[in-house]
Amino acid sequence: MNQRPVAPPVPRLWLNRNVLAIGLADLMADFNYEMVLAVLPLFLTAGLGAPAYAVGLVEGVADGSSALVRVASGWYSDRIAWRKSLAAGGYAATVAGLATIGLISIWPLVVVARGLAWVGRGVRQPIRSSMQAGSVERADYGKAFGFHEALDTLGALLGPTVAFVLIATGHGFRAVFFVAVIPGVACVLLFALLTRDLRGAPRPAPRWAPLPASFWRLTAAVFVFGLGNFAPAFFTLRAAEMLQPELSRPAALSGAVLFYIAHQAVGTLASFPGGWLADRVGRVPVLAFAYAVFAAACGIGIAGHGPPAVAWLALAVGIQAPLVSATENSITGSLVEDAITGTAFGVLAGINGIADLVSSVAVGLIWTLAGSPRALAFGGILALMGAVLLTILRPAPDRRSPA
């Protein structure tokens, strides 16, 4: 008896409904919170009279508060059928927390509001990444995550641009925070209405499903780099310093916001080509390159002065930021089985969050006590160490795992 040949499975297109919907939702999410973050360090220092270390404290507490939440959210999401709803709630919490900053008049309360907002971000981040990884073939992770980062960074370009227009036309910082609610609401609606959770029923799993050794080799390098990967707000502050005394203080502050816009524009253009390149030449070399570019940005910040140096700084910061995020995610997705992607993305985000807490607080203190050049040197040295460690460890998928 002849049997009909079994047709090979049709490969999934990497640019599909879920990738596009998640990308559009995160475009609006970044529009929302990058609009706030573009002026937040200036609001703290110039608006509320906070010291420089307050910027590091605000950023560090935000990252630290989300770190453990990311781990728990990723682990829990592998075991529940309603993870999409949980992620949508996380998006909403971020919007609400950032909007609250517009009502605050003393800087310590900004620490609380920013921390609550980043708890929401911590809840949704590993779920979103896991849903995206489950929507494409593993060979296309670089393109899919690179495309996502391009939309992400486009939102991060639009937000500061609108913030700059508002400030330049005489509106205050608080107006920026309230207008940012509009794209924030849009991101919640886009994610809730357009995305689909393509995973089947979650399988029962042990309390802690083991992650492969290759994943832990990746996170070792991620952690070392993260210890130096301070908040972008410090690059914004340094840009303002680099523009003085040639420009007046108000002009230098406006120039710092333009720097923020410029590096987001560079990131928008670099994200997808970087992801495509990672699929072609290897994700580990691209990630090591991104770490090294962060170190180069620190060097420019130390030695540079005036508008041309700020332009070079925007180029370096813009290239590395989306490449780091997209490539870390694409490597992670390639190293673990589908059933534990939420756990893996949660652990990755948690490690990044803990390292970011340490780096932002440390850089803020060094900046206050010893000056910005020494603070940037701290970040640059650790970034180079992370690049070297990643090159030595070279995490790759286990041969027994699906590639």
Side-chain angles (χ1 to χ4, degrees):
M1 179 177 178
N2 295 327
Q3 293 182 341
R4 293 182 180 179
V6 178
V10 178
R12 289 174 289 185
L13 297 175
W14 72 264
L15 184 55
N16 53 50
R17 170 177 172 157
N18 242 23
V19 170
L20 184 59
I22 292 172
L24 290 174
D26 274 12
L27 185 155
M28 286 297 171
D30 272 54
F31 195 151
N32 164 246
Y33 68 72
E34 293 289 358
M35 188 172 174
V36 173
L37 298 187
V39 300
L40 185 58
L42 308 177
F43 173 66
L44 284 167
T45 55
L48 299 182
Y53 72 79
V55 176
L57 185 62
V58 168
E59 298 297 327
V61 168
D63 288 326
S65 65
S66 69
L68 293 179
V69 174
R70 293 173 188 177
V71 177
S73 173
W75 177 85
Y76 189 54
S77 71
D78 283 335
R79 291 151 178 80
I80 59 174
W82 49 279
R83 65 176 181 172
K84 176 184 167 180
S85 299
L86 181 61
Y91 279 98
T94 301
V95 176
L98 293 178
T100 303
I101 296 176
L103 305 174
I104 290 172
S105 58
I106 55 175
W107 74 260
L109 290 180
V110 177
V111 179
V112 179
R114 178 88 156 82
L116 291 175
W118 248 228
V119 166
R121 189 168 183 246
V123 167
R124 55 93 169 170
Q125 194 173 51
I127 301 174
R128 174 213 68 195
S129 297
S130 181
M131 287 175 61
Q132 179 157 308
S135 303
V136 298
E137 303 293 339
R138 291 184 175 227
D140 295 324
Y141 278 172
K143 291 187 287 293
F145 281 105
F147 177 78
H148 173 267
E149 285 301 318
L151 292 183
D152 225 28
T153 314
L154 177 59
L157 168 63
L158 295 174
T161 301
V162 172
F164 176 77
V165 171
L166 288 172
I167 296 296
T169 53
H171 295 83
F173 294 121
R174 298 182 193 277
V176 174
F177 302 146
F178 294 137
V179 172
V181 173
I182 298 172
V185 172
C187 86
V188 177
L189 294 176
L190 283 167
F191 185 85
L193 298 178
L194 297 185
T195 64
R196 293 176 177 175
D197 191 351
L198 302 179
R199 180 186 61 175
R203 69 176 71 173
R207 291 190 175 184
W208 183 262
L211 293 165
S214 55
F215 171 80
W216 296 112
R217 291 197 298 273
L218 169 67
T219 56
V222 166
F223 183 70
V224 172
F225 170 75
L227 290 174
N229 184 25
F230 50 79
F234 287 108
F235 280 124
T236 303
L237 289 179
R238 181 55 183 161
E241 291 181 352
M242 293 166 66
L243 292 171
Q244 298 182 71
E246 285 89 346
L247 301 179
S248 65
R249 178 172 172 78
L253 293 178
S254 296
V257 177
L258 284 176
F259 156 79
Y260 199 94
I261 294 170
H263 83 69
Q264 298 291 7
V266 171
T268 301
L269 297 174
S271 297
F272 181 75
W276 177 87
L277 186 65
D279 284 340
R280 294 298 183 276
V281 305
R283 295 160 188 160
V284 170
V286 170
L287 183 57
F289 169 76
Y291 286 177
V293 173
F294 180 91
C298 293
I300 295 170
I302 293 169
H305 191 75
V310 171
W312 282 107
L313 182 63
L315 181 64
V317 173
I319 288 173
Q320 64 82 30
L323 281 188
V324 168
S325 179
T327 314
E328 284 182 354
N329 282 332
S330 62
I331 295 175
T332 296
S334 71
L335 296 178
V336 300
E337 297 178 2
D338 293 341
I340 55 172
T341 53
T343 300
F345 283 118
V347 171
L348 174 72
I351 288 172
N352 265 321
I354 292 170
D356 290 346
L357 165 63
V358 174
S359 66
S360 292
V361 172
V363 167
L365 290 174
I366 297 170
W367 194 295
T368 302
L369 299 175
S372 54
R374 287 184 173 85
L376 295 175
F378 171 85
I381 291 170
L382 283 166
L384 283 178
M385 291 172 61
V388 171
L389 185 60
L390 182 68
T391 303
I392 293 172
L393 296 178
R394 297 191 66 82
D398 189 283
R399 292 181 180 178
R400 295 169 297 176
S401 301

